[in-house]
Amino acid sequence: MQINYAGGYYPPLLFRVMIMLNDKEINALRYYIGDVSGNDPFFSDPKAYVVLNSLFFPGIVSEKARAAEGKFLNPAIIADTERLADFFNSLSSVFRKSVITSGTVTYRVERFSDYLLCRDNSQTVSFTSTSKSGFLSSYRDRLGIALMKFDISAGSRCIDVGAVLPHYAKPEESEILLPPFMDLSIDEIAMSDDELLITDSAGAPPKVSCTVTAGDIAPYTGDLPVLPSGGSSAGIRVYNALNAGSNPDSDDITEYSLWKKALRQILHSLFTQ
């Protein structure tokens, strides 16, 4: 059963504590999963997560990997930092309200280069979409993959997307969304015969399979920086170059990377509030 009210929505009773989301929180979550409409350069992008997740990675390695896979880096997403901050504030608020109340197992086909960063840091780097429905074929559109099986315990701050949205546009994905900066314990295991049949966009088998125990969001302990001026403009030039198949200017890369580093620190603090 679902109950609508003037300011938001009460989701089904899949959580012991009923979650109340307001309209801004609902819209932020819908935007992240690609449930969009219209023709606004920012709000109508069904794959805004390509850029949103890249913002959590150091340098431009993530942006280069996604561009090499033919994914579009949307400059409109970083053009207005106040609008971007409003999105992150709303989505982080959903995470603060969302607690998994019973243990669950989920799956992800991860980009191998992103997996290595998760493994080396023992954390999720960015928002991490996992599925209760196994390893989804829709996530094989990347070069080099790793198979990750997550054990998520009760009390974890994750979003059961189908449970908290009044209308879930992608029910086949059965998505559990993990927050950035979440502690992970990763154990690499031998691949089964079935797992070897899962291939990347070039037809290559997975490079690794692992089991993952999800923990808490790691606390932020540093000082809060100020976003360097001009960083988002440099990022737009980096995106335009990569989208065109060109090498970005080295000064733009440096300026954008410093801006991203400050943004990650601010977001880390936000997600630990």
Side-chain angles (χ1 to χ4, degrees), residues 242-270:
L242 291 173
N243 287 333
S246 303
N247 292 321
D249 180 82
S250 59
D251 289 339
D252 285 340
I253 293 173
T254 299
E255 193 171 4
Y256 172 57
S257 298
L258 290 173
W259 180 83
K260 280 178 60 178
K261 181 179 179 180
L263 179 64
R264 285 199 306 274
Q265 291 174 294
I266 293 169
L267 293 176
H268 193 171
S269 175
L270 175 66

Side-chain angles (χ1 to χ4, degrees), residues 88-141:
F88 281 124
N89 277 321
S90 296
L91 190 56
S92 67
S93 180
V94 182
F95 277 106
R96 282 192 288 275
K97 292 181 177 181
S98 301
V99 178
I100 298 295
T101 58
S102 60
T104 186
V105 174
T106 63
Y107 304 81
R108 177 171 176 80
V109 181
E110 182 61 280
R111 184 178 288 98
F112 183 65
S113 58
D114 293 358
Y115 163 75
L116 292 177
L117 197 56
C118 288
R119 186 195 65 184
D120 293 346
N121 292 335
S122 297
Q123 281 184 5
T124 54
V125 179
S126 62
F127 301 113
T128 302
S129 297
T130 69
S131 174
K132 293 180 286 185
S133 298
F135 296 116
L136 300 180
S137 58
S138 57
Y139 284 84
R140 301 182 196 177
D141 60 340

Side-chain angles (χ1 to χ4, degrees), residues 27-70:
N27 290 337
L29 183 55
R30 288 182 58 208
Y31 177 66
Y32 179 78
I33 68 168
D35 180 10
V36 299
S37 60
N39 55 13
D40 180 87
F42 180 90
F43 291 107
S44 68
D45 187 350
K47 295 188 176 181
Y49 54 82
V50 171
V51 166
L52 293 171
N53 285 332
S54 291
L55 295 175
F56 289 89
F57 287 79
I60 65 164
V61 174
S62 177
E63 288 87 346
K64 289 176 67 176
R66 284 153 174 78
E69 293 166 355

Side-chain angles (χ1 to χ4, degrees), residues 69 71 108-116 135-148 188 191 194-210:
E69 293 166 355
K71 296 180 173 66
R108 177 171 176 80
V109 181
E110 182 61 280
R111 184 178 288 98
F112 183 65
S113 58
D114 293 358
Y115 163 75
L116 292 177
F135 296 116
L136 300 180
S137 58
S138 57
Y139 284 84
R140 301 182 196 177
D141 60 340
R142 48 203 62 178
L143 290 169
I145 57 174
L147 303 181
M148 305 181 75
E188 295 184 353
M191 272 181 278
D194 286 341
E195 289 177 340
L196 287 169
L197 297 176
I198 301 172
T199 56
D200 68 3
S201 60
K207 294 180 179 292
V208 69
S209 179
C210 67

Side-chain angles (χ1 to χ4, degrees), residues 209-225:
S209 179
C210 67
T211 57
V212 185
T213 302
D216 296 327
I217 297 176
Y220 180 74
T221 57
D223 296 327
L224 278 182

